[in-house]
Amino acid sequence: MKKIILSLLISMFTSWSAFAATDTIPWDKAPNKINDLGALQNGAKLFVNYCLNCHAAAYMRFNRLTDIGLTEQQIKDNLLFTTDKVGETMKIAMDPRQAKDWFGGTPPDLTVIARSRSGHGGTGADYIYTYLRTYYRDPEKATGWNNLAFPNVGMPHVLWELQGERKPLYDTVMSHGHEAKVFKGWQQVSAGKLSPAEYDAAVGDLVNYMQWMSEPAQSMRVKVGVWVMIFLLIFMFIAWRLNAAFWKDIR
Amino acid sequence: MAEFKEISPNAPMAEKALNWVDNRFPLSKLYKEHLSEYYAPKNFNFLYFFGVLSLLVLVIQIVTGIFLVMHYKPDAATAFASVEYIMRDVPWGWLIRYMHSTGASAFFVVVYMHMFRGLIYGSYRKPRELVWLFGCAIFLALMGEAFMGYLLPWGQMSYWGAQVIVNLFSAIPFIGPDLALLIRGDYVVGDATLNRFFAFHVIAVPLVLLGLVVAHIIALHEVGSNNPDGIEIKAHKDTSGKPLDGIPFHPYYTVHDIMGVTGFLLVFSAIIFFAPEFGGYFLEYNNFIPADPLKTPLHIAPVWYFTPYYSMLRAITTEMMYALIVCVIAAAYLGATRAAISSTLKAAVIGGALVLVGLMLAIDAKFWGVVVMGGSVIILFFLPWLDHCAVKSIRYRPDWHVWLYVVFVLNFFVLGYLGVKPPSLMGERVSQIGTLYYFGFFLLMPWWSRLGETKPVPARVHFVAH
């Protein structure tokens, strides 16, 4: 019995350390620019140019972008293909079968992706912010790219022109009697169009746009909420005094 | 039948109108019986808000539900999109949807508080057994309502949660697989399941719920409310027949409840407007991914309000069955040797226990897990006949009884916590102990509730003027 327990414990620890080595890295905190219209507009531009070819955002209407300060004319001129109408949702023309051949699966719809990826590591925005900044070259993969936040991802590094190419650096440490690789930082292999700081800012804009797109009513929700709370607090005072006025007779 | 009442032709218009109605419908009578002359104990505390709050949340759910149904599409191909349509394109749709999704969790919060209140103050005791039974039936209907409603957004958690729970039915011997098929209407959860769950969620179960709520309140108003002291206020009446410790529900408790409702709305609104997902507990993150029958999520957990029962389901492993068999044998032994019953009954106890043990060995633990999960709710129905304490309220029970209740509540929280976590060895052990405590608390109640020295119960309620 003791042996069984012991072997169980050992296997638990060893499997844990093996897991730790391949585990994804902790998520970075995405900048919060959810009320920064300029950033959101820049994010929308990046989204339409880089994401909206393979990914759809089928619940998001183009003309909802007026909420982040764009006019319908601006949307038509800059973000729409000539055949699209401004009241349509962000659909794409890619054939799902081809997508399966190219990436191993249909790229997911991105409308509410920022909400779906929240977890114990942080918000969905944190996850996407980390994910889009941790691509590296991996010749073993069909696309030639791999990712630290999403190991063996099917999507290639779409933003590589902007970021350039990077290589993750590891420290080798001993953990539970095994050698384990611990991620320590990045090495820039070739420069991109943007400096690392500019790239982080651009991805920050994109992620904030996706966060906004996942719930376009969110700023409105908070604004209305403040007034509702103020009303209820005042009403609470009235209800409290009303109650006291009636109950003063009860002994 | 009341006598037809004539009124002076010179009476004010409103009075004449009321008289006209009263001669045809018991309007004034109902108003008096249920509001202005319904005498409630004056010593209600904070916990007594949760009855009216349950009613409030029921109304919120029905009203927001009506508006959601106007835009929702019960079709596997369009359900997810129609929810996002409500969130984006329907004016104020996001508010209606968040009210409904937060309302579902709020319903369980207030109902759990309401049940806890009844549990500690002995509100299920004679003569309020039917009030309690109707209440338990409401809770059961509510669980069905919540479970089926959760499928409708057609996200990953909706889909796989329903898949897991419906599959549980297939563990029932002989009829299980066919029963599961009947519930789903298909071999997997699919469009047929969505449509029937929609029908149950929007009309069948709400009708049952409303009927039960009416029965619950009629039964309550027949026997009168209990109170934190567990004293019958009708035992002390003034010369006009009004209970000395009672006050008319209206206006005293109506103004009081307005305050309680406002307090509730403050919390409810704070969640709706500032944290509608509530950290993934009210709206699970995975549910923002459309249902995909080919992709099983790594970790499937029910929504928080079901997790204590889910924990108890997971606790029933093959090993645990041996522990349960020991419990059954011990219970049969005690029944046969210690209980003051006839020898034929004793033989029946032993025979019954042997058959049960045989079945427990013969049928898979998965089935007994389902039995335990169902039993954990069904056992509540028996509470009025399990409790044999001389006093009703926890205030006058022996001090160590209070600790049993404290541990019961903590245990419920621990089971709930373990139910959201992925399975682990440690969690399994803790949930097994928790399951034994949960059932031991109820099944041994006829024994322990009699023990210990109760405190003297005062004749009149304890009341501090506001």
Side-chain angles (χ1 to χ4, degrees), chain A residues 7-77:
Chain A
S7 62
L8 202 73
L9 281 177
I10 289 171
S11 68
M12 249 172 73
F13 278 118
T14 47
S15 62
W16 173 251
S17 59
F19 179 66
T22 56
D23 193 13
T24 61
I25 54 166
W27 299 350
D28 296 333
K29 191 97 199 79
N32 181 2
K33 307 182 201 172
I34 205 73
N35 293 316
D36 177 347
L37 294 186
L40 291 177
Q41 289 169 10
N42 186 36
K45 197 176 86 194
L46 288 166
F47 182 80
V48 171
N49 288 335
Y50 287 94
C51 311
L52 203 58
N53 303 305
C54 301
H55 292 278
Y59 316 120
M60 172 70 194
R61 283 180 208 288
F62 279 103
N63 59 2
R64 190 69 191 253
L65 292 170
T66 50
D67 279 21
I68 56 171
L70 297 172
T71 63
E72 293 211 349
Q73 199 53 47
Q74 283 174 316
I75 297 168
K76 276 183 200 157
D77 293 346

Side-chain angles (χ1 to χ4, degrees), chain A residues 2 58 89 107 114 121 200 211:
Chain A
K2 258 187 187 163
T89 62
D200 283 358
Q211 171 74 30

Side-chain angles (χ1 to χ4, degrees), chain A residues 89-175:
Chain A
T89 62
M90 295 179 168
K91 296 211 167 102
I92 49 158
M94 194 171 63
D95 178 5
R97 268 177 309 173
Q98 279 182 324
K100 196 145 192 171
D101 287 346
W102 295 336
F103 310 112
T106 316
D109 188 281
L110 294 183
T111 319
V112 285
I113 204 81
R115 301 190 83 174
S116 74
R117 292 302 154 107
S118 298
H120 294 295
T123 65
D126 295 343
Y127 169 75
I128 302 168
Y129 183 66
T130 311
Y131 165 69
L132 290 176
R133 288 160 52 259
T134 54
Y135 265 100
Y136 62 93
R137 269 280 177 212
D138 186 347
E140 286 172 25
K141 296 286 160 245
T143 59
W145 294 98
N146 207 333
N147 190 288
L148 279 186
F150 188 160
N152 305 322
V153 64
M155 174 175 134
H157 190 11
V158 177
L159 300 171
W160 77 276
E161 272 185 344
L162 302 181
Q163 188 183 28
E165 210 175 295
R166 294 196 307 170
K167 196 169 110 185
L169 301 174
Y170 294 99
D171 270 340
T172 308
V173 294
M174 292 298 282
S175 134

Side-chain angles (χ1 to χ4, degrees), chain B residues 158-176:
Chain B
S158 300
Y159 184 89
W160 289 98
Q163 185 80 294
V164 168
I165 301 297
V166 177
N167 277 347
L168 292 179
F169 288 93
S170 58
I172 299 170
F174 307 116
I175 59 159

Side-chain angles (χ1 to χ4, degrees), chain B residues 299-455:
Chain B
H299 171 51
I300 305 171
V303 203
W304 69 269
Y305 39 77
F306 288 139
T307 52
Y309 318 105
Y310 187 62
S311 264
M312 290 192 248
L313 168 90
R314 289 202 301 198
I316 309 304
T317 57
T318 314
E319 292 168 301
M320 180 68 172
M321 286 310 292
Y322 293 111
L324 292 182
I325 287 170
V326 171
C327 292
V328 170
I329 292 172
Y333 174 77
L334 284 174
T337 55
R338 305 286 289 275
I341 47 175
S342 72
S343 47
T344 12
L345 212 55
K346 281 181 182 175
V349 166
I350 294 173
L354 286 176
V355 171
L356 184 57
V357 168
L359 288 174
M360 287 167 89
L361 288 168
I363 306 173
D364 192 32
K366 191 183 165 198
F367 166 70
W368 296 104
V370 176
V371 170
V372 162
M373 184 166 75
S376 61
V377 180
I378 299 301
I379 203 164
L380 297 171
F381 284 86
F382 295 92
L383 189 57
W385 297 278
L386 293 172
D387 184 2
H388 288 268
C389 189
V391 300
K392 279 184 191 164
S393 169
I394 199 163
R395 289 187 179 175
Y396 306 108
R397 282 170 179 262
D399 286 335
W400 61 268
H401 278 204
V402 179
W403 285 105
L404 290 181
Y405 283 91
V406 169
V407 175
F408 179 81
V409 171
L410 290 177
N411 182 44
F412 194 73
F413 275 105
V414 169
L415 286 172
Y417 170 75
L418 291 172
V420 282
K421 294 277 145 205
S424 68
L425 195 67
M426 190 65 176
E428 190 179 301
R429 289 284 171 270
V430 175
S431 64
Q432 285 167 341
I433 295 167
T435 307
L436 288 177
Y437 186 85
Y438 183 91
F439 280 93
F441 179 84
F442 288 113
L443 293 175
L444 298 178
M445 195 181 261
W447 166 65
W448 65 258
S449 62
R450 274 185 246 245
L451 301 179
E453 202 170 321
T454 57
K455 294 164 200 169

